[in-house]
């Protein structure tokens, strides 16, 4: 069993959430949140910001740590246990460009309920729900 660590962001601009559409060789497709693997020498926060920028072309800043998700998958003959650390991120614009080299074919900002129903995986839906609750609380307190 191998372990892997990734970091990602729930990006919000003017109340809307950034999601990406991924289609990997017509075998895995669906809407996801941006995330990726930690590189040597990077902090988790640096990874989250870099991955959001690489996968979605969005410039963001981290506002809070949301939590983590875990899942397992098979890569060849290896079983991989993955943990993903998630951050609530703020963008300054709706600008985004999907990274075609990583099989992302669409990116956009959607209302919370639209983004929630677009997302493919239950663990990402839960992280989105947690993130949006945090976002609403920060706005209520005047900290967003």
């Amino acid at each position: 069993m191998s372990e892997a660590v990734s970091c990602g962001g729930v990006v919000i601009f003017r109340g809307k959430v950034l999601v990406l559409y991924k289609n990997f060789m017509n075998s895995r497709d669906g809407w996801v949140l941006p995330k990726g693997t930690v590189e040597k020498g990077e902090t988790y926060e640096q990874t989250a910001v870099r991955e959001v920028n690489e996968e979605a072309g969005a410039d963001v800043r981290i506002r809070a740590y949301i939590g983590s998700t875990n899942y397992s998958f098979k890569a060849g003959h290896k079983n991989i246990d993955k943990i993903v650390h998630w951050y609530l991120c703020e963008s300054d614009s709706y600008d985004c460009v999907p990274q075609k080299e990583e099989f992302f074919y669409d990116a956009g900002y959607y209302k919370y309920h639209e983004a929630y129903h677009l997302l493919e995986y239950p663990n990402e839906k839960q992280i989105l729900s947690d993130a949006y609750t945090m976002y609403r609380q920060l706005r209520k307190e005047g900290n967003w």
Side-chain angles (χ1 to χ4, degrees), residues 71-120:
Y71 60 95
S72 298
F73 62 95
K74 194 167 181 124
H77 296 293
K78 282 187 175 181
N79 290 322
I80 311 288
D81 280 336
K82 180 171 258 192
I83 184 168
V84 182
H85 295 280
W86 294 98
Y87 294 87
L88 177 59
C89 299
E90 180 179 14
S91 181
D92 287 333
S93 76
Y94 288 122
D95 292 341
C96 57
V97 178
Q99 184 184 25
K100 301 241 189 298
E101 299 82 10
E102 291 292 323
F103 307 100
F104 293 105
Y105 292 96
D106 197 1
Y109 287 84
Y110 294 85
K111 293 177 183 176
Y112 166 77
H113 70 277
E114 293 170 329
Y116 183 88
H117 290 291
L118 283 172
L119 287 175
E120 186 73 18

Side-chain angles (χ1 to χ4, degrees), residues 8 41 66 102 138:
I66 304 164
E102 291 292 323
L138 288 170

Side-chain angles (χ1 to χ4, degrees), residues 1-7 28 32-33 35-37 68-74 79-86 121 123-124:
M1 186 72 63
S2 295
E3 294 183 359
V5 179
S6 289
C7 300
R28 283 184 294 150
V32 297
L33 298 170
K35 68 179 178 304
T37 304
S68 64
T69 56
N70 298 290
Y71 60 95
S72 298
F73 62 95
K74 194 167 181 124
N79 290 322
I80 311 288
D81 280 336
K82 180 171 258 192
I83 184 168
V84 182
H85 295 280
W86 294 98
Y121 302 106
N123 61 356
E124 289 193 3

Side-chain angles (χ1 to χ4, degrees), residues 4-48:
V5 179
S6 289
C7 300
V10 177
V11 180
I12 298 178
F13 178 65
R14 295 188 178 166
K16 293 189 176 179
V17 180
L18 175 65
V19 293
L20 301 164
Y21 180 76
K22 186 168 191 164
N23 186 334
F24 181 71
M25 301 172 72
N26 293 320
S27 65
R28 283 184 294 150
D29 66 323
W31 291 90
V32 297
L33 298 170
K35 68 179 178 304
T37 304
V38 178
E39 293 182 355
K40 187 175 181 176
E42 266 185 336
T43 66
Y44 291 170
E45 293 87 354
Q46 289 169 329
T47 300

